[in-house]
Amino acid sequence: MTTAAVAPVTESRLIGREEVAERTMAFRFYRPLDWTFQAGQFLDMTLLDPSETDAEGNTRSFSIASAPYEDTLMVATRMRDTAFKRVLRSMPLGSPVKLEGPSGDLTLHSDVSRAAVFLAGGIGITPFRSIVSQAAKDKRAHRIFLFYSNRRLEDAPFLDELQALEHENPNYKLIASMTDMTKSHRTWRGETGLIDKEMLASHLKDAVSPIYYIAGPPEMVKGLGTMIHDIGVDDADVRAEEFSGY
Ligand SMILES: Cc1cc2nc3c(=O)[nH]c(=O)nc-3n(C[C@H](O)[C@H](O)[C@H](O)COP(=O)(O)OP(=O)(O)OC[C@H]3O[C@@H](n4cnc5c(N)ncnc54)[C@H](O)[C@@H]3O)c2cc1C
């Protein structure tokens, strides 16, 4: 008989919050000393004694957007008008939360001869921010290609730091795309198309035996999964995390 593994539970406290894109916030929590995780994993967060609640309850899953080497735990989310997110936005600094985890295996493969190709739309960037930050810090030798699509620059969390990491890690390339800059007040000179087979082909010419990683809202994960399946990528070379709830 096998028993499902039970993720450890710990308590933490909110120590900061900031807007990281339009209608998108990052929340930082105290990281308990004995709480370890691998870049790319997620946690289940429960609000303790929230001022309001609704039918969805007080718990949500979040990929950990901070890297293991960072002192604090960070999650980031699109701020929809739900009880959970209203409380997260307004509760006093120091408020306690319950953390369950870490869970998940969307973590960087160990075979450095194989490239890693990350496909992220919008908030799906969270696990990849953790992975590419940690890979730069550890000087991991993998070739890493991060395809990151948003409608507008204003919608793209962490874009500046993801761009800056290219100077720290020569093995890492960011391919950012803004698909609806007509609705933006800013200027963008990069890619403007959806992540599709033409975009992959033009940037992955010298990517050796890639393993693909996809994260984000379920529709996006399914769409990108179908696209790479159609271009002949073996299912065994694809790892995906659906942000169910979107
Ligand atoms: C492994 C994993 C990792 C995840 N990582 C992240 C992450 O890093 N960041 C992140 O933001 N989320 C992440 N999620 C999703 C997260 O857990 C929440 O489900 C999500 O943020 C939505 O929460 P909510 O409070 O906005 O909506 P909920 O209250 O959970 O929504 C409940 C239902 O109402 C619908 N709904 C609610 N509000 C709206 C609205 N304004 N418009 C349309 N429909 C609506 C939803 O579609 C859903 O069906 C992850 C989920 C999983 C399973």
Side-chain angles (χ1 to χ4, degrees):
M1 194 178 84
T2 54
T3 321
V6 177
V9 176
T10 190
E11 217 177 279
S12 178
R13 286 176 188 280
L14 179 68
I15 53 179
R17 64 189 144 218
E18 60 176 316
E19 191 164 81
V20 288
E22 264 183 29
R23 293 184 301 282
T24 310
M25 289 185 76
F27 298 87
R28 285 201 178 266
F29 295 86
Y30 164 74
R31 179 170 166 192
L33 285 178
D34 55 351
W35 205 87
T36 56
F37 68 101
Q38 292 182 63
Q41 289 192 294
F42 69 92
L43 50 75
D44 290 328
M45 179 180 298
T46 301
L47 302 175
L48 299 174
D49 199 20
S51 56
E52 58 171 322
T53 187
D54 62 21
E56 293 296 323
N58 299 327
T59 303
R60 298 289 185 281
S61 302
F62 292 112
S63 292
I64 305 164
S66 51
Y69 79 84
E70 294 179 281
D71 291 339
T72 57
L73 281 175
M74 177 178 63
V75 301
T77 189
R78 297 293 196 209
M79 293 308 290
R80 302 196 310 194
D81 193 20
T82 67
F84 184 95
K85 291 180 180 178
R86 283 195 297 273
V87 173
L88 211 48
R89 183 205 295 274
S90 61
M91 68 189 192
L93 298 183
S95 295
V97 294
K98 187 177 88 177
L99 304 180
E100 199 171 342
S103 309
D105 52 11
L106 194 78
T107 54
L108 186 60
H109 58 270
S110 50
D111 181 353
V112 297
S113 70
R114 303 189 68 178
V117 176
F118 300 133
L119 309 181
I123 199 63
I125 195 62
T126 46
F128 302 134
R129 183 210 177 262
S130 179
I131 297 174
V132 300
S133 304
Q134 189 68 36
K137 174 81 177 169
D138 294 344
K139 303 203 180 314
R140 301 287 296 263
H142 303 72
R143 294 292 310 278
I144 296 176
F145 299 84
L146 171 57
F147 291 83
Y148 182 27
S149 160
N150 283 272
R151 291 197 177 88
R152 306 168 308 150
L153 271 170
E154 291 89 333
D155 302 318
F158 310 122
L159 185 62
D160 291 349
E161 59 182 284
L162 294 169
Q163 282 169 334
L165 278 177
E166 286 192 320
H167 302 294
E168 271 181 53
N169 182 358
N171 299 317
Y172 157 76
K173 185 161 192 272
L174 172 70
I175 306 99
S177 185
M178 303 298 148
T179 59
D180 198 4
M181 283 299 286
T182 53
K183 297 203 175 77
S184 172
H185 300 297
R186 294 166 60 188
T187 309
W188 172 249
R189 293 198 179 77
E191 298 269 2
T192 55
L194 294 170
I195 302 172
D196 59 11
K197 59 181 187 217
E198 287 78 23
M199 190 188 288
L200 294 185
S202 73
H203 291 281
L204 296 179
K205 290 191 186 78
D206 60 347
V208 177
S209 188
I211 295 180
Y212 291 80
Y213 299 74
I214 314 173
E219 261 183 49
M220 195 215 84
V221 171
K222 289 196 180 78
L224 289 169
T226 303
M227 187 265 294
I228 58 175
H229 179 83
D230 290 349
I231 59 172
V233 175
D234 194 307
D235 288 348
D237 296 332
V238 182
R239 302 178 184 180
E241 191 89 271
E242 288 193 4
F243 290 4
S244 54
Y246 275 112

